[in-house]
Amino acid sequence: MRTVALFSGILLSLATLSAWAIENDEALADPAQQAIYEQLTNEVRCLVCQNQTIADSTAPLAIDLRREIRQMLEAGRSEEEIKTFLLDRYGDFVLYRPRWQANTALLWLAPMLLLLIGGGGLWRIIRRRAALPVPPEDGDPPLAS
Amino acid sequence: MWRYLIPGAVFALLVAVFAVGLYRDPGYVPSPLIGKPAPQFSLPRLDDPQKTLQRSDLLGKVSLVNVWGTWCSGCRQEHDTLLTLAQDGGIPIYGINWKDDPALARQWLQQLGNPYAAVGVDEKGGTAIEWGVYGAPETFLIGPDGTVLYKHIAPMTLTVWREEFLPRITAARTGSKL
């Protein structure tokens, strides 16, 4: 029992430690700005680690970008302006949800296209099989006895 | 006939896509800055913090902007190449010392040699963000009018210099488009 308590105590302190390591800045004064800040940092890719957002990452570049976004929000820039700022410097890859434009259209439409292709194939197979005569099932009694 | 041809074609297509993907570097992110004016910046110089290195210093000739730090092993790797280029390349190399301790950076240049025409100190990383830098070393090729012509992410080598930089430099100097 004591070991369990000790172990969970250690785990708990480790958990708070990591939370502290990622975001130790205090919240922005304006709650609306803080909400935008949280949303943005969870949507911007850290290009050093690439599969993390800058909110998740402790890479120095992620820390710098969080600071930059915070300063831009405090200076009254809008979410769109900040996104454009990042896109102009780091390219479309920096946003986890890329904007709808010519070179991302295929990316956005691919799930729909694949569903249509798969669904169309399925529909054709079902139609073809529905037209076949129904075979007698194994367990059926013989028609005449 | 089609029953075998179509799955075969789909399979061949997938193999082709994966084969191409296998030889591409997933860490490489093309810079949206290429073909656009180099960002504005003004940094205190490493040799004399009273002076600055700024965008206007790059204008009027083809130049290189190299982002480096003493913490970056790739920068150590490319240092000799930069020294060679500074001697024989005929192109000024401007350094941006990124998120580094200026004392260590000065020591590095003293011990290994200094390939830079001037180095600006970007201790907080603000200028690096303006340039869309995400991993040192990065080397930008800047045209006489301040346009970013090319960006190389990884240590500079003589092969990269010959194959990627020299043709663009010649084009920039003769004023033709590449």
Side-chain angles (χ1 to χ4, degrees):
Chain A
M1 192 57 212
R2 271 179 64 187
T3 5
V4 173
L6 184 69
F7 193 64
S8 46
I10 291 173
L11 270 184
L12 204 69
S13 55
L14 281 178
T16 50
L17 196 71
S18 67
W20 171 77
I22 289 178
E23 185 68 90
N24 62 348
D25 308 314
E26 43 185 289
L28 286 152
D30 179 353
Q33 282 186 349
Q34 178 66 20
I36 299 176
Y37 173 77
E38 277 167 24
Q39 202 207 320
L40 260 176
T41 52
N42 277 297
E43 210 184 295
V44 174
R45 187 188 302 275
C46 166
L47 287 172
V48 181
C49 7
Q50 298 209 346
N51 287 326
Q52 279 185 312
T53 64
I54 60 169
D56 288 336
S57 174
T58 52
L61 180 64
I63 296 168
D64 287 354
L65 282 173
R66 288 204 298 264
R67 195 190 55 223
E68 193 79 20
I69 289 174
R70 173 180 287 272
Q71 285 170 357
M72 282 192 281
L73 282 170
E74 281 168 348
R77 309 269 292 270
S78 74
E79 184 178 348
E80 277 313 297
E81 283 172 332
I82 295 173
K83 278 190 187 170
T84 306
F85 172 92
L86 292 167
L87 285 171
D88 286 347
R89 284 155 186 79
Y90 288 99
D92 297 325
F93 192 57
V94 79
L95 291 184
Y96 264 97
R97 276 189 293 152
R99 283 180 176 169
W100 168 257
Q101 55 201 30
N103 64 345
T104 59
L106 187 62
L107 185 69
W108 279 109
L109 293 179
M112 197 89 82
L113 287 175
L114 290 174
L115 191 68
L116 280 177
I117 293 169
L122 190 67
W123 189 69
R124 272 188 53 183
I125 291 171
I126 290 172
R127 282 260 313 231
R128 201 183 308 153
R129 298 228 171 142
L132 294 177
V134 183
E137 280 181 35
D138 284 347
D140 280 355
L143 284 175
S145 59
Chain B
M1 183 65 179
W2 288 111
R3 296 180 69 126
Y4 301 106
L5 257 174
I6 293 177
V10 170
F11 179 71
L13 194 73
L14 274 179
V15 168
V17 167
F18 291 148
V20 170
L22 207 56
Y23 293 99
R24 291 179 64 174
D25 177 7
Y28 174 72
V29 182
S31 172
L33 282 176
I34 289 165
K36 301 224 176 87
Q40 288 290 347
F41 70 99
S42 178
L43 292 171
R45 277 176 56 160
L46 185 64
D47 54 350
D48 181 359
Q50 302 300 319
K51 292 190 206 158
T52 56
L53 174 67
Q54 52 204 12
R55 186 180 187 276
S56 56
D57 294 331
L58 310 176
L59 302 179
K61 72 263 176 190
V62 178
S63 63
L64 294 183
V65 172
N66 176 254
V67 182
W68 65 286
T70 57
W71 46 266
C72 144
S73 62
C75 303
R76 176 69 188 83
Q77 212 178 315
E78 70 171 3
H79 199 78
D80 288 339
T81 310
L82 293 184
L83 286 170
T84 310
L85 292 181
Q87 244 178 17
D88 310 332
I91 283 175
I93 307 174
Y94 295 97
I96 293 178
N97 184 234
W98 184 31
K99 292 180 80 67
D100 202 359
D101 176 355
L104 286 177
R106 275 189 286 270
Q107 194 187 343
W108 161 292
L109 293 182
Q110 251 165 32
Q111 284 174 356
L112 302 172
N114 184 358
Y116 301 109
V119 176
V121 179
D122 184 23
E123 260 184 288
K124 293 220 158 156
T127 298
I129 290 178
E130 289 295 330
W131 284 75
V133 169
Y134 66 90
E138 291 190 8
T139 307
F140 295 84
L141 180 66
I142 311 295
D145 59 348
T147 307
V148 179
L149 299 175
Y150 186 65
K151 170 182 176 178
H152 176 66
I153 309 164
M156 177 65 97
T157 63
L158 289 178
T159 314
V160 169
W161 175 255
R162 253 194 324 270
E163 287 174 5
E164 304 293 348
F165 282 80
L166 276 183
R168 290 178 172 87
I169 293 168
T170 314
R173 283 188 172 150
T174 54
S176 63
K177 291 260 172 214
L178 192 75

